[in-house]
């Protein structure tokens, strides 16, 4: 405990925990204040079921860069019967006024590393580790990114043919010019990238998409006609009997428009808006079956996707369409502060023709209507707020997606949440969480996430907290799915915190606040 504002080398507060995967765990961190702009935390961790793990965090800050190097090493894991390690390097370095270097590179020794040694479902359920190095330029009109990117796949259930491609390199150059002569706006998107992988076709892909628009805006309305031309060209290798240089060119025509009406409510304290929006989009059909799938996919259909002309993301597919998208949003705003108490959106699309372009294995889309999208955000009642997302399959007559969350939060340490999520044939989950004081000094926390589809608990947390003016004590037990085979891990958390100084034990406070949305342990 340094007695002044200066940092000091020495032992930090030890941490204690117990779990099914590691046994009893004791961590004794040592902090080394190397220099005013360098430090190193070494945290040897003894795990009764696995051995001693050496955790290291080195941080640096110079006039031109900053970064962190994390390194974990577990020699001869008693359960795994081999050495294990994890490394992650994050670096940010401005090179000039407009140029920047950014690196984020991670690597694990084996696919079970996080399932065996991580904590919480967010960590143990990781499927890929990012390795990204990029230079970027941000100017008034031009933006450039040059990167090399790949992933380490740590989910053994992902087949080699389904692993993401490496991009070595990827070059992006985008430009935008607003308020050009005659009120026109110009833009251009360009990309050159080489995709490679151990299995499957690989090669170069070049994308070029210039566009021009003529925005017409005024009080209460906007109209944006836009014309773009997209050209995609490949140079492929290991393509078999297919063409090694397929290409596609097509126009993208859209007209986006909207109105804004507002009126005073009866009390005069609020303003209600009515915001209809209409988008017409046309993209002619172009055969693309001879083009590979490097990074394209179909995103979730939602309010944002409703008003995008291309129904695919990525550079390998340009979806043909002739459609009108309609939506209307209404808001309730405080006249003085502008606070939004209510927002509600309803929208859908109508198609004039079949959509023949698709991903491999997809059938032609012949329905003439999209799902009906509804979203509601409610913050009108004191201490209460709620969000609702719902999609209705108009042609099939069933629910495509449903999400609901309601929260009661009269104070930072008084929070109750209820959440429901549903996707047909994929998931149906309910979650409830509570953080609440039962006396002036004692509080209860609880959280449960339950799969209604599988009739099983995914994660559960129960804990209590005692708090005085100067210190707090917390104890909790947590049980969660930690392995892809469905096996579970039980963890006991114990923490003693001296307010304004430090805490002894595991980070129970962090667990409480991460698992219970909007909850704060301390008054």
């Amino acid at each position: 405990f340094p007695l002044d504002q200066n940092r000091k080398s020495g032992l930090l507060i030890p941490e204690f925990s117990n779990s099914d995967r590691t046994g009893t765990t004791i961590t004794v961190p040592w902090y080394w204040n190397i220099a005013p702009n360098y430090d190193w935390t070494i945290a040897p961790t003894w795990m009764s079921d696995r051995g001693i793990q050496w955790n290291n965090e080195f941080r640096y800050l110079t006039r031109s860069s900053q970064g962190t190097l994390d390194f974990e090493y577990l020699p001869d894991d008693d359960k795994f019967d081999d050495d294990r390690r994890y490394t992650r390097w994050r670096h940010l370095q401005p090179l000039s006024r407009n140029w920047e270097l950014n690196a984020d590179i991670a690597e694990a020794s084996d696919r079970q590393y996080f399932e065996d040694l991580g904590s919480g479902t967010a960590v143990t359920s990781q499927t890929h580790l990012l390795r990204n190095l990029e230079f970027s330029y941000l100017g008034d009109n031009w933006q450039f990114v040059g990167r090399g990117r790949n992933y380490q796949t740590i989910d053994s259930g992902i087949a080699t043919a389904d692993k993401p491609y490496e991009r070595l390199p990827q070059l992006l150059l985008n430009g935008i010019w607003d308020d050009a002569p005659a009120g026109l706006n110009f833009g251009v998107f360009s990309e050159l990238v080489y995709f490679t992988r151990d299995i499957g076709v690989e090669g170069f892909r070049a994308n070029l998409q210039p566009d021009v628009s003529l925005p017409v805006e005024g009080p209460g309305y906007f109209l944006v006609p836009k014309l773009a031309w997209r050209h995609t060209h490949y140079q492929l290798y290991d393509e078999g009997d297919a063409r090694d240089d397929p290409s596609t060119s097509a126009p993208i025509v859209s007209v986006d428009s909207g109105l804004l009406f507002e009126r005073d409510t009866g009390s005069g304290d609020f303003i209600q808006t009515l915001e209809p929006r209409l988008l017409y989009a046309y993209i002619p059909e172009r055969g693309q079956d001879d083009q590979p799938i490097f990074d394209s996919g179909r995103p979730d259909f939602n309010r944002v996707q409703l008003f995008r002309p291309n129904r695919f993301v990525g550079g390998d597919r340009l979806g043909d369409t002739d459609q009108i998208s309609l939506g209307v949003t209404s808001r309730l705003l405080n006249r003085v502060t502008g606070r939004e108490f209510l927002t509600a959106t309803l929208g859908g699309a109508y198609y004039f023709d079949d959509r023949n372009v698709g991903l491999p294995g997809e059938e032609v889309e012949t329905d003439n209507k999209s799902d009906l999208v509804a979203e509601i955000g409610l913050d009108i009642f004191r201490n209460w707020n709620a969000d609702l997302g719902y999609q209705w399959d108009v042609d099939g007559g069933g629910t495509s997606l449903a999400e609901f969350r309601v929260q009661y939060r009269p104070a930072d340490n008084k929070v109750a949440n209820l959440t429901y999520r549903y996707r047909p044939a994929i998931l149906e989950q309910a979650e409830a969480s509570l953080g609440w004081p039962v006396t002036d000094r004692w509080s209860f926390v609880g959280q449960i996430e339950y799969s209604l589809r599988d009739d099983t608990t995914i994660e559960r947390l129960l804990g209590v907290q005692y708090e005085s003016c100067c210190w707090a004590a917390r104890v909790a037990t947590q049980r969660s799915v930690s392995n892809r085979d469905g096996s579970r891990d039980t963890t006991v958390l114990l923490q003693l915190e001296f307010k304004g100084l430090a805490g002894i034990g595991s980070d129970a406070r962090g667990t409480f606040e991460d698992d219970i949305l909007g909850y704060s342990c301390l008054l």
Side-chain angles (χ1 to χ4, degrees):
F1 299 97
L3 299 180
D4 54 27
Q5 297 299 317
N6 297 319
R7 298 183 304 175
K8 184 177 181 180
S9 299
L11 291 172
L12 303 179
I13 297 297
E15 298 180 2
F16 309 92
S17 63
N18 184 279
S19 73
D20 295 340
R21 290 171 297 149
T22 59
T24 301
T25 301
I26 301 175
T27 302
V28 183
W30 185 71
Y31 176 77
W32 183 11
N33 183 29
I34 303 173
N37 58 329
Y38 297 93
D39 62 25
W40 187 2
T41 302
I42 306 170
T45 300
W46 175 74
M47 295 174 283
S48 61
D49 292 349
R50 296 187 179 274
I52 298 179
Q53 181 184 41
W54 296 89
N55 300 317
N56 299 267
E57 181 189 60
F58 176 73
R59 301 187 302 175
Y60 57 91
L61 175 64
T62 70
R63 292 182 178 179
S64 60
S65 67
Q66 63 183 52
T68 303
L69 177 63
D70 296 300
F71 178 67
E72 303 174 1
Y73 179 63
L74 175 58
D76 194 19
D77 186 333
D78 293 340
K79 280 190 173 183
F80 192 74
D81 198 25
D82 201 354
D83 296 347
R84 313 186 78 177
R85 69 184 182 279
Y86 169 71
T87 306
R88 185 180 181 186
W89 177 48
R90 287 162 289 179
H91 179 82
L92 176 63
Q93 182 171 352
L95 302 175
S96 68
R97 179 176 175 270
N98 301 102
W99 287 91
E100 185 176 273
L101 169 66
N102 197 316
D104 191 347
I105 301 173
E107 186 265 342
S109 59
D110 56 87
R111 293 183 173 183
Q112 290 78 41
Y113 188 89
F114 294 103
E115 293 182 3
D116 292 343
L117 303 174
S119 60
T121 54
V123 176
T124 59
S125 62
Q126 292 184 85
T127 59
H128 300 87
L129 295 180
L130 173 67
R131 291 119 169 225
N132 186 72
L133 178 65
E134 68 181 41
F135 292 91
S136 59
Y137 170 85
L138 180 61
D140 294 334
N141 300 109
W142 290 100
Q143 298 178 14
F144 170 78
V145 176
R147 68 164 62 102
R149 172 179 292 182
N150 68 3
Y151 297 87
Q152 180 187 7
T153 301
I154 56 175
D155 187 341
S156 59
I158 298 177
T160 303
D162 296 326
K163 292 181 179 179
Y165 275 89
E166 299 179 6
R167 305 179 187 192
L168 301 172
Q170 182 181 25
L171 306 177
L172 299 167
L173 181 62
N174 301 326
I176 185 170
W177 296 268
D178 293 334
D179 300 323
L184 296 172
N185 288 350
F186 294 96
V188 62
F189 166 81
S190 61
E191 175 197 49
L192 178 64
V193 56
Y194 183 79
F195 292 96
T196 180
R197 195 172 62 184
D198 292 337
I199 186 173
V201 64
E202 60 183 41
F204 285 96
R205 185 187 72 202
N207 266 315
L208 179 64
Q209 182 175 314
D211 65 70
V212 58
S213 61
L214 180 61
V216 179
E217 301 177 346
Y221 71 92
F222 70 89
L223 177 68
V224 186
K226 184 174 182 180
L227 174 64
W229 187 273
R230 173 162 151 173
H231 177 75
T232 304
H233 182 82
Y234 294 85
Q235 183 60 55
L236 304 177
Y237 307 96
D238 299 328
E239 75 286 353
D241 297 330
R243 289 182 55 190
D244 61 1
D245 60 347
S247 63
T248 300
S249 293
I252 303 173
V253 180
S254 65
V255 180
D256 195 4
S257 60
L259 298 172
L260 172 60
F261 301 100
E262 63 180 42
R263 68 181 182 91
D264 294 333
T265 60
S267 64
D269 296 330
F270 301 97
I271 296 174
Q272 182 184 10
T273 70
L274 185 66
E275 306 166 37
R277 182 179 178 184
L278 183 149
L279 171 75
Y280 173 75
Y282 173 76
I283 302 174
E285 179 186 352
R286 296 289 189 268
Q288 299 165 57
D289 292 340
D290 57 348
Q291 297 180 183
I293 299 297
F294 287 137
D295 64 357
S296 284
R298 190 186 293 271
D300 289 340
F301 187 75
N302 52 33
R303 182 176 60 178
V304 175
Q305 185 65 18
L306 175 65
F307 292 100
R308 289 186 68 249
N310 188 11
R311 61 182 179 276
F312 300 103
V313 294
D316 301 308
R317 288 293 184 269
L318 180 62
D320 57 320
T321 192
D322 187 7
Q323 71 179 73
I324 286 181
S325 299
L326 295 167
V328 60
T329 298
S330 181
R331 309 175 199 272
L332 190 64
L333 309 171
N334 184 285
R335 169 178 290 278
V336 177
T337 65
R339 177 186 171 188
E340 186 175 271
F341 291 95
L342 172 69
T343 176
T345 299
L346 182 67
Y350 182 85
Y351 305 103
F352 299 103
D353 205 349
D354 296 342
R355 279 82 65 214
N356 296 299
V357 176
L359 300 173
E362 290 186 344
E363 297 181 355
V364 174
E365 299 180 26
T366 59
D367 50 316
N368 59 7
K369 305 182 194 66
S370 73
D371 286 354
L372 193 63
V373 178
E375 296 181 9
I376 297 176
L378 182 65
D379 195 17
I380 193 170
F381 302 112
R382 182 180 181 183
N383 305 326
W384 288 88
N385 64 82
D387 293 295
L388 169 67
Y390 186 80
Q391 291 183 24
W392 175 260
D393 184 350
V394 177
D395 289 327
T399 300
S400 299
L401 179 147
E403 298 177 338
F404 173 74
R405 180 193 63 81
V406 61
Q407 181 184 76
Y408 177 62
R409 188 171 181 261
D412 289 346
N413 68 332
K414 294 181 179 181
V415 179
N417 298 293
L418 182 64
T419 304
Y420 174 80
R421 295 178 288 268
Y422 172 75
R423 290 174 181 262
I426 298 178
L427 63 83
E428 185 177 10
Q429 297 175 355
E431 180 179 356
S433 60
L434 178 71
W436 207 269
V438 292
T439 68
D440 291 341
R441 297 185 181 274
W442 287 94
S443 298
F444 168 81
V445 296
Q447 180 255 357
I448 183 169
E449 185 175 357
Y450 189 81
S451 173
L452 300 169
R453 182 171 181 262
D454 302 314
D455 194 22
T456 185
T457 300
I458 301 173
E459 187 170 12
R460 182 186 66 219
L461 171 72
L462 292 174
V464 294
Q465 170 183 274
Y466 176 83
E467 181 182 4
S468 70
C469 61
C470 303
W471 62 280
R474 305 179 185 94
V475 60
T477 177
Q478 184 180 40
R479 183 168 176 81
S480 60
V481 175
S482 61
N483 195 289
R484 61 177 58 86
D485 62 11
S487 59
R488 289 166 168 76
D489 176 54
T490 300
T491 303
V492 176
L493 306 170
L494 176 63
Q495 183 180 39
L496 179 63
E497 180 176 355
F498 301 98
K499 296 183 179 181
L501 293 176
I504 298 176
S506 56
D507 187 15
R509 176 183 177 181
T511 301
F512 292 174
E513 294 179 348
D514 288 343
D515 287 4
I516 303 173
L517 179 67
Y519 180 66
S520 177
C521 286
L522 300 180
L523 294 177

